[in-house]
Amino acid sequence: MTLGVYINLKTEAREAIAFYGEIFESTCEDLMTYGSIDHGDEFPMDDATKELVMNASIQIEGQTVMFSDTPAFMSELVRGNNVTLVLETTDGDKLTRYFDALSDGATKIMPLQQTFWSEKFGQLTDKYGVGWSFNLTK
């Protein structure tokens, strides 16, 4: 069994994919827009909606992270604190590099610091409202 991560955004999926792709050196190769398939008359779309990301993904440390925009005909998207992505690694330099890169436009909850369970642990909410925890493991 695998657990997938899906990040829903209002209209910023392309921007988020580029942002995370640069940080994690990953390229999206499967971007599909709402306009790329026929929805018939059930979901009429204007040109802007047709350009929104319906589904796309990148690899982050060997894990697939999927993205989608949320068009007006779907339920309202509410950014919240119900999802946190946890990055765990034994490479302290990599952990610091990821934390620093994701800090651009972010709200830092806890800077990278030593805790009783880790030599480096930190938390932030990035500029897209996604929560991240960073943990150095042995």
Side-chain angles (χ1 to χ4, degrees):
M1 178 192 316
T2 60
L3 177 64
V5 177
Y6 212 108
I7 299 175
N8 293 296
L9 300 157
K10 290 191 182 215
T11 59
E12 310 98 333
R14 287 178 198 266
E15 181 183 325
I17 291 163
F19 178 72
Y20 296 131
E22 183 176 336
I23 291 169
F24 297 106
E25 299 176 355
S26 183
T27 302
C28 176
E29 297 179 7
D30 62 353
L31 191 143
M32 177 186 298
T33 65
Y34 283 93
S36 65
I37 62 170
D38 182 13
H39 292 276
D41 295 330
E42 187 175 358
F43 300 108
M45 289 181 248
D46 60 21
D47 289 339
T49 301
K50 289 178 183 177
E51 291 301 312
L52 294 176
V53 175
M54 187 169 105
N55 189 64
S57 66
I58 60 172
Q59 296 294 308
I60 297 178
E61 291 296 317
Q63 302 298 313
T64 301
V65 178
M66 296 170 282
F67 298 85
S68 180
D69 287 318
T70 307
F73 62 80
M74 296 178 77
S75 59
E76 182 181 356
L77 176 74
V78 178
R79 289 186 180 191
N81 60 359
N82 58 331
V83 175
T84 299
L85 304 179
V86 180
L87 276 176
E88 292 187 312
T89 182
T90 58
D91 185 333
D93 292 336
K94 183 185 281 189
L95 189 78
T96 299
R97 189 170 63 249
Y98 287 164
F99 184 87
D100 290 346
L102 285 167
S103 292
D104 179 32
T107 301
K108 289 184 184 173
I109 309 299
M110 182 177 181
L112 279 179
Q113 60 188 290
Q114 186 170 354
T115 63
F116 67 88
W117 67 86
S118 177
E119 290 180 31
K120 280 188 181 181
F121 179 83
Q123 293 179 305
L124 59 83
T125 301
D126 74 19
K127 65 184 178 181
Y128 299 106
V130 177
W132 292 83
S133 289
F134 302 81
N135 191 44
L136 184 64
T137 58
K138 294 186 180 208

